[in-house]
Amino acid sequence: MKQLYFILVVVFLWACSENNRIVGYVEELPTIYPDYIDVTIPYNIAPLNFSVQSEGQPVIAWFKSENSEFQVKADNGEFHLPKQKWEKLLSDAVGKSIEITVAKGEKDGWIAYKPFLMHVANEPVDKYIAYRLIEPGYSLWNQMGIYQRNLESFEEDAIYENKITNYNCVNCHSFCMQNPNQMVFHMRAKMEGTVLLDRENIELLDTKTDQTISALVYPSWHPSGRYISFSVNNTTQQIHPT
C-alpha cells in the first residue's frame, strides 16, 4: 500500500511539472495592464499586480531575479502577487532588474511571450501618498474624499470624507513641505471655505471677499510654514496661521 501511495505521489508531481513546462515561444511582448514593461520601480513598492489579455486561456507568469524566483497563475487574466515572495524578489534585485515571463496555456503546455524587465532602483519611495479619490466623470460627483495610501502595501486610510459635510466638494489639498502636521484643503458649495490643520489646531477659514466670486483656491505653503498663499481671479492672498 505504501509503495502504491509513493507511485501516485511521483506521478502527480511529474504531471504538475509537465503541465507547467514551456513548449514554445512567440517573439512578442504580452499586452499587460497597467503597462509595467521596462519600468523602474523602488525596492519597497507594494506588489505590482497586473492583468493580461488572455482571451479565456489560462495564463501563468514567472518572476525571477538572480537569487529568487516564483510563479503565479492568473485568475481570469489577473495576477495577484504574493506579498512576501514579491518583497524577497525586490530585496534580491536592488540596483538590478527582475525578469517576468508570461505564458498562455495550450493543449501540450505553455507558450511563452518574450520576457520583459522591471528595473529596481537603489532608492526607496516615500512610504505614504495623499490624494483625492473621486469617481470617473467627476462632473456628476457625489461621494469623494481625501485619502492616504501606504505604498508598501494596499492599506488606505481616510483623511477626510465629504459624507460628514453633506456630500460637498472637497479638493485642492496641500501640505507644508510634505509635513502631515500642516495641511490645508478647500470645501466648496455647502460649508465652503478652507480647512487649516496646523499641528493640533483645526480651523475653517472663510476667504470669500466682496471683490472675489468665490472663496480662495489653489493653496501653497511657504517653506517656512509661517503663512499660506491662495489665489483666485489672478489675486493672491496670504494667511498667517495662528
PDB file of all heavy atoms in Angstrom, residues 25-47:
ATOM      1  N   TYR A  25       7.578  29.432 -27.912  1.00  0.00           N
ATOM      2  CA  TYR A  25       7.764  30.857 -27.652  1.00  0.00           C
ATOM      3  C   TYR A  25       7.184  31.672 -28.805  1.00  0.00           C
ATOM      4  O   TYR A  25       7.115  31.202 -29.950  1.00  0.00           O
ATOM      5  CB  TYR A  25       9.258  31.182 -27.513  1.00  0.00           C
ATOM      6  CG  TYR A  25       9.929  30.513 -26.337  1.00  0.00           C
ATOM      7  CD1 TYR A  25      10.440  29.220 -26.458  1.00  0.00           C
ATOM      8  CD2 TYR A  25      10.050  31.158 -25.118  1.00  0.00           C
ATOM      9  CE1 TYR A  25      11.057  28.591 -25.387  1.00  0.00           C
ATOM     10  CE2 TYR A  25      10.679  30.539 -24.046  1.00  0.00           C
ATOM     11  CZ  TYR A  25      11.172  29.266 -24.179  1.00  0.00           C
ATOM     12  OH  TYR A  25      11.788  28.648 -23.114  1.00  0.00           O
ATOM     13  N   VAL A  26       6.778  32.897 -28.471  1.00  0.00           N
ATOM     14  CA  VAL A  26       6.383  33.863 -29.500  1.00  0.00           C
ATOM     15  C   VAL A  26       7.260  35.096 -29.318  1.00  0.00           C
ATOM     16  O   VAL A  26       7.579  35.496 -28.205  1.00  0.00           O
ATOM     17  CB  VAL A  26       4.890  34.243 -29.396  1.00  0.00           C
ATOM     18  CG1 VAL A  26       4.013  33.066 -29.757  1.00  0.00           C
ATOM     19  CG2 VAL A  26       4.542  34.760 -28.013  1.00  0.00           C
ATOM     20  N   GLU A  27       7.668  35.711 -30.420  1.00  0.00           N
ATOM     21  CA  GLU A  27       8.588  36.853 -30.373  1.00  0.00           C
ATOM     22  C   GLU A  27       7.826  38.174 -30.252  1.00  0.00           C
ATOM     23  O   GLU A  27       7.972  39.060 -31.080  1.00  0.00           O
ATOM     24  CB  GLU A  27       9.483  36.849 -31.613  1.00  0.00           C
ATOM     25  CG  GLU A  27      10.589  35.809 -31.571  1.00  0.00           C
ATOM     26  CD  GLU A  27      11.514  36.010 -30.379  1.00  0.00           C
ATOM     27  OE1 GLU A  27      11.889  37.159 -30.102  1.00  0.00           O
ATOM     28  OE2 GLU A  27      11.843  35.002 -29.728  1.00  0.00           O
ATOM     29  N   GLU A  28       6.994  38.256 -29.249  1.00  0.00           N
ATOM     30  CA  GLU A  28       6.289  39.495 -28.972  1.00  0.00           C
ATOM     31  C   GLU A  28       6.032  39.608 -27.476  1.00  0.00           C
ATOM     32  O   GLU A  28       5.976  38.601 -26.762  1.00  0.00           O
ATOM     33  CB  GLU A  28       4.969  39.567 -29.734  1.00  0.00           C
ATOM     34  CG  GLU A  28       3.975  38.493 -29.355  1.00  0.00           C
ATOM     35  CD  GLU A  28       2.703  38.572 -30.177  1.00  0.00           C
ATOM     36  OE1 GLU A  28       2.822  38.641 -31.419  1.00  0.00           O
ATOM     37  OE2 GLU A  28       1.608  38.555 -29.590  1.00  0.00           O
ATOM     38  N   LEU A  29       5.922  40.841 -27.022  1.00  0.00           N
ATOM     39  CA  LEU A  29       5.664  41.076 -25.608  1.00  0.00           C
ATOM     40  C   LEU A  29       4.189  40.879 -25.306  1.00  0.00           C
ATOM     41  O   LEU A  29       3.327  41.118 -26.166  1.00  0.00           O
ATOM     42  CB  LEU A  29       6.082  42.501 -25.222  1.00  0.00           C
ATOM     43  CG  LEU A  29       7.585  42.788 -25.232  1.00  0.00           C
ATOM     44  CD1 LEU A  29       7.848  44.288 -25.130  1.00  0.00           C
ATOM     45  CD2 LEU A  29       8.290  42.048 -24.095  1.00  0.00           C
ATOM     46  N   PRO A  30       3.855  40.467 -24.087  1.00  0.00           N
ATOM     47  CA  PRO A  30       2.444  40.351 -23.731  1.00  0.00           C
ATOM     48  C   PRO A  30       1.812  41.741 -23.592  1.00  0.00           C
ATOM     49  O   PRO A  30       2.506  42.725 -23.339  1.00  0.00           O
ATOM     50  CB  PRO A  30       2.490  39.629 -22.380  1.00  0.00           C
ATOM     51  CG  PRO A  30       3.807  40.017 -21.795  1.00  0.00           C
ATOM     52  CD  PRO A  30       4.748  40.111 -22.969  1.00  0.00           C
ATOM     53  N   THR A  31       0.517  41.818 -23.767  1.00  0.00           N
ATOM     54  CA  THR A  31      -0.221  43.057 -23.532  1.00  0.00           C
ATOM     55  C   THR A  31      -0.721  43.035 -22.099  1.00  0.00           C
ATOM     56  O   THR A  31      -1.594  42.233 -21.754  1.00  0.00           O
ATOM     57  CB  THR A  31      -1.402  43.192 -24.503  1.00  0.00           C
ATOM     58  OG1 THR A  31      -0.911  43.175 -25.847  1.00  0.00           O
ATOM     59  CG2 THR A  31      -2.151  44.492 -24.266  1.00  0.00           C
ATOM     60  N   ILE A  32      -0.133  43.889 -21.250  1.00  0.00           N
ATOM     61  CA  ILE A  32      -0.487  43.879 -19.837  1.00  0.00           C
ATOM     62  C   ILE A  32      -1.029  45.249 -19.441  1.00  0.00           C
ATOM     63  O   ILE A  32      -0.759  46.268 -20.075  1.00  0.00           O
ATOM     64  CB  ILE A  32       0.710  43.504 -18.939  1.00  0.00           C
ATOM     65  CG1 ILE A  32       1.764  44.615 -18.951  1.00  0.00           C
ATOM     66  CG2 ILE A  32       1.318  42.180 -19.377  1.00  0.00           C
ATOM     67  CD1 ILE A  32       2.874  44.387 -17.944  1.00  0.00           C
ATOM     68  N   TYR A  33      -1.821  45.252 -18.359  1.00  0.00           N
ATOM     69  CA  TYR A  33      -2.366  46.498 -17.823  1.00  0.00           C
ATOM     70  C   TYR A  33      -2.310  46.443 -16.288  1.00  0.00           C
ATOM     71  O   TYR A  33      -2.775  45.467 -15.710  1.00  0.00           O
ATOM     72  CB  TYR A  33      -3.808  46.705 -18.266  1.00  0.00           C
ATOM     73  CG  TYR A  33      -4.394  47.980 -17.720  1.00  0.00           C
ATOM     74  CD1 TYR A  33      -4.152  49.203 -18.348  1.00  0.00           C
ATOM     75  CD2 TYR A  33      -5.158  47.955 -16.557  1.00  0.00           C
ATOM     76  CE1 TYR A  33      -4.681  50.372 -17.828  1.00  0.00           C
ATOM     77  CE2 TYR A  33      -5.676  49.125 -16.035  1.00  0.00           C
ATOM     78  CZ  TYR A  33      -5.443  50.331 -16.671  1.00  0.00           C
ATOM     79  OH  TYR A  33      -5.951  51.496 -16.145  1.00  0.00           O
ATOM     80  N   PRO A  34      -1.765  47.494 -15.662  1.00  0.00           N
ATOM     81  CA  PRO A  34      -1.048  48.631 -16.250  1.00  0.00           C
ATOM     82  C   PRO A  34       0.234  48.163 -16.971  1.00  0.00           C
ATOM     83  O   PRO A  34       0.730  47.074 -16.716  1.00  0.00           O
ATOM     84  CB  PRO A  34      -0.698  49.501 -15.034  1.00  0.00           C
ATOM     85  CG  PRO A  34      -1.620  49.071 -13.948  1.00  0.00           C
ATOM     86  CD  PRO A  34      -1.853  47.614 -14.188  1.00  0.00           C
ATOM     87  N   ASP A  35       0.750  49.026 -17.827  1.00  0.00           N
ATOM     88  CA  ASP A  35       1.928  48.667 -18.617  1.00  0.00           C
ATOM     89  C   ASP A  35       3.185  48.875 -17.769  1.00  0.00           C
ATOM     90  O   ASP A  35       3.709  49.971 -17.668  1.00  0.00           O
ATOM     91  CB  ASP A  35       1.982  49.527 -19.877  1.00  0.00           C
ATOM     92  CG  ASP A  35       3.111  49.102 -20.806  1.00  0.00           C
ATOM     93  OD1 ASP A  35       3.841  48.150 -20.452  1.00  0.00           O
ATOM     94  OD2 ASP A  35       3.263  49.720 -21.869  1.00  0.00           O
ATOM     95  N   TYR A  36       3.675  47.800 -17.165  1.00  0.00           N
ATOM     96  CA  TYR A  36       4.874  47.843 -16.322  1.00  0.00           C
ATOM     97  C   TYR A  36       6.128  47.410 -17.076  1.00  0.00           C
ATOM     98  O   TYR A  36       7.173  47.201 -16.449  1.00  0.00           O
ATOM     99  CB  TYR A  36       4.692  46.939 -15.101  1.00  0.00           C
ATOM    100  CG  TYR A  36       3.649  47.416 -14.117  1.00  0.00           C
ATOM    101  CD1 TYR A  36       2.699  46.522 -13.603  1.00  0.00           C
ATOM    102  CD2 TYR A  36       3.617  48.729 -13.683  1.00  0.00           C
ATOM    103  CE1 TYR A  36       1.757  46.938 -12.689  1.00  0.00           C
ATOM    104  CE2 TYR A  36       2.673  49.160 -12.763  1.00  0.00           C
ATOM    105  CZ  TYR A  36       1.745  48.259 -12.271  1.00  0.00           C
ATOM    106  OH  TYR A  36       0.800  48.675 -11.356  1.00  0.00           O
ATOM    107  N   ILE A  37       6.036  47.231 -18.362  1.00  0.00           N
ATOM    108  CA  ILE A  37       7.178  46.722 -19.120  1.00  0.00           C
ATOM    109  C   ILE A  37       8.307  47.750 -19.149  1.00  0.00           C
ATOM    110  O   ILE A  37       8.102  48.905 -19.529  1.00  0.00           O
ATOM    111  CB  ILE A  37       6.747  46.345 -20.555  1.00  0.00           C
ATOM    112  CG1 ILE A  37       5.755  45.166 -20.500  1.00  0.00           C
ATOM    113  CG2 ILE A  37       7.957  45.980 -21.414  1.00  0.00           C
ATOM    114  CD1 ILE A  37       5.175  44.790 -21.846  1.00  0.00           C
ATOM    115  N   ASP A  38       9.487  47.333 -18.689  1.00  0.00           N
ATOM    116  CA  ASP A  38      10.708  48.132 -18.725  1.00  0.00           C
ATOM    117  C   ASP A  38      10.615  49.395 -17.855  1.00  0.00           C
ATOM    118  O   ASP A  38      11.274  50.390 -18.130  1.00  0.00           O
ATOM    119  CB  ASP A  38      11.051  48.529 -20.163  1.00  0.00           C
ATOM    120  CG  ASP A  38      12.553  48.795 -20.336  1.00  0.00           C
ATOM    121  OD1 ASP A  38      13.353  48.127 -19.661  1.00  0.00           O
ATOM    122  OD2 ASP A  38      12.910  49.680 -21.135  1.00  0.00           O
ATOM    123  N   VAL A  39       9.821  49.343 -16.781  1.00  0.00           N
ATOM    124  CA  VAL A  39       9.743  50.481 -15.868  1.00  0.00           C
ATOM    125  C   VAL A  39      10.813  50.332 -14.784  1.00  0.00           C
ATOM    126  O   VAL A  39      11.384  49.254 -14.572  1.00  0.00           O
ATOM    127  CB  VAL A  39       8.348  50.587 -15.211  1.00  0.00           C
ATOM    128  CG1 VAL A  39       7.285  50.815 -16.259  1.00  0.00           C
ATOM    129  CG2 VAL A  39       8.035  49.336 -14.382  1.00  0.00           C
ATOM    130  N   THR A  40      11.097  51.439 -14.085  1.00  0.00           N
ATOM    131  CA  THR A  40      11.985  51.422 -12.917  1.00  0.00           C
ATOM    132  C   THR A  40      11.133  51.624 -11.677  1.00  0.00           C
ATOM    133  O   THR A  40      10.328  52.561 -11.622  1.00  0.00           O
ATOM    134  CB  THR A  40      13.048  52.523 -13.019  1.00  0.00           C
ATOM    135  OG1 THR A  40      13.857  52.297 -14.181  1.00  0.00           O
ATOM    136  CG2 THR A  40      13.946  52.525 -11.786  1.00  0.00           C
ATOM    137  N   ILE A  41      11.299  50.760 -10.697  1.00  0.00           N
ATOM    138  CA  ILE A  41      10.452  50.780  -9.508  1.00  0.00           C
ATOM    139  C   ILE A  41      11.311  50.860  -8.257  1.00  0.00           C
ATOM    140  O   ILE A  41      12.461  50.400  -8.242  1.00  0.00           O
ATOM    141  CB  ILE A  41       9.552  49.528  -9.448  1.00  0.00           C
ATOM    142  CG1 ILE A  41      10.401  48.248  -9.392  1.00  0.00           C
ATOM    143  CG2 ILE A  41       8.616  49.483 -10.643  1.00  0.00           C
ATOM    144  CD1 ILE A  41       9.590  46.974  -9.245  1.00  0.00           C
ATOM    145  N   PRO A  42      10.793  51.450  -7.162  1.00  0.00           N
ATOM    146  CA  PRO A  42      11.529  51.455  -5.893  1.00  0.00           C
ATOM    147  C   PRO A  42      11.490  50.066  -5.261  1.00  0.00           C
ATOM    148  O   PRO A  42      10.572  49.279  -5.526  1.00  0.00           O
ATOM    149  CB  PRO A  42      10.755  52.480  -5.051  1.00  0.00           C
ATOM    150  CG  PRO A  42       9.382  52.461  -5.619  1.00  0.00           C
ATOM    151  CD  PRO A  42       9.527  52.202  -7.085  1.00  0.00           C
ATOM    152  N   TYR A  43      12.467  49.787  -4.427  1.00  0.00           N
ATOM    153  CA  TYR A  43      12.557  48.431  -3.877  1.00  0.00           C
ATOM    154  C   TYR A  43      11.554  48.161  -2.761  1.00  0.00           C
ATOM    155  O   TYR A  43      11.423  47.012  -2.313  1.00  0.00           O
ATOM    156  CB  TYR A  43      13.976  48.129  -3.376  1.00  0.00           C
ATOM    157  CG  TYR A  43      14.463  48.972  -2.221  1.00  0.00           C
ATOM    158  CD1 TYR A  43      14.024  48.743  -0.923  1.00  0.00           C
ATOM    159  CD2 TYR A  43      15.376  49.997  -2.433  1.00  0.00           C
ATOM    160  CE1 TYR A  43      14.481  49.508   0.141  1.00  0.00           C
ATOM    161  CE2 TYR A  43      15.837  50.765  -1.387  1.00  0.00           C
ATOM    162  CZ  TYR A  43      15.390  50.521  -0.101  1.00  0.00           C
ATOM    163  OH  TYR A  43      15.838  51.288   0.946  1.00  0.00           O
ATOM    164  N   ASN A  44      10.815  49.189  -2.303  1.00  0.00           N
ATOM    165  CA  ASN A  44       9.843  48.981  -1.230  1.00  0.00           C
ATOM    166  C   ASN A  44       8.408  49.163  -1.711  1.00  0.00           C
ATOM    167  O   ASN A  44       7.502  49.372  -0.904  1.00  0.00           O
ATOM    168  CB  ASN A  44      10.111  49.935  -0.069  1.00  0.00           C
ATOM    169  CG  ASN A  44       9.971  51.397  -0.458  1.00  0.00           C
ATOM    170  OD1 ASN A  44      10.268  51.776  -1.590  1.00  0.00           O
ATOM    171  ND2 ASN A  44       9.521  52.219   0.477  1.00  0.00           N
ATOM    172  N   ILE A  45       8.163  49.066  -3.015  1.00  0.00           N
ATOM    173  CA  ILE A  45       6.825  49.246  -3.555  1.00  0.00           C
ATOM    174  C   ILE A  45       5.988  47.989  -3.299  1.00  0.00           C
ATOM    175  O   ILE A  45       6.511  46.871  -3.264  1.00  0.00           O
ATOM    176  CB  ILE A  45       6.874  49.555  -5.074  1.00  0.00           C
ATOM    177  CG1 ILE A  45       5.538  50.094  -5.578  1.00  0.00           C
ATOM    178  CG2 ILE A  45       7.297  48.324  -5.863  1.00  0.00           C
ATOM    179  CD1 ILE A  45       5.241  51.483  -5.113  1.00  0.00           C
ATOM    180  N   ALA A  46       4.686  48.179  -3.095  1.00  0.00           N
ATOM    181  CA  ALA A  46       3.775  47.045  -2.906  1.00  0.00           C
ATOM    182  C   ALA A  46       3.733  46.195  -4.176  1.00  0.00           C
ATOM    183  O   ALA A  46       4.132  46.647  -5.253  1.00  0.00           O
ATOM    184  CB  ALA A  46       2.389  47.567  -2.571  1.00  0.00           C
ATOM    185  N   PRO A  47       3.250  44.952  -4.083  1.00  0.00           N
ATOM    186  CA  PRO A  47       3.180  44.098  -5.270  1.00  0.00           C
ATOM    187  C   PRO A  47       2.467  44.785  -6.426  1.00  0.00           C
ATOM    188  O   PRO A  47       1.372  45.337  -6.254  1.00  0.00           O
ATOM    189  CB  PRO A  47       2.388  42.881  -4.773  1.00  0.00           C
ATOM    190  CG  PRO A  47       2.696  42.810  -3.313  1.00  0.00           C
ATOM    191  CD  PRO A  47       2.800  44.241  -2.855  1.00  0.00           C
TER     192      PRO A  47
END
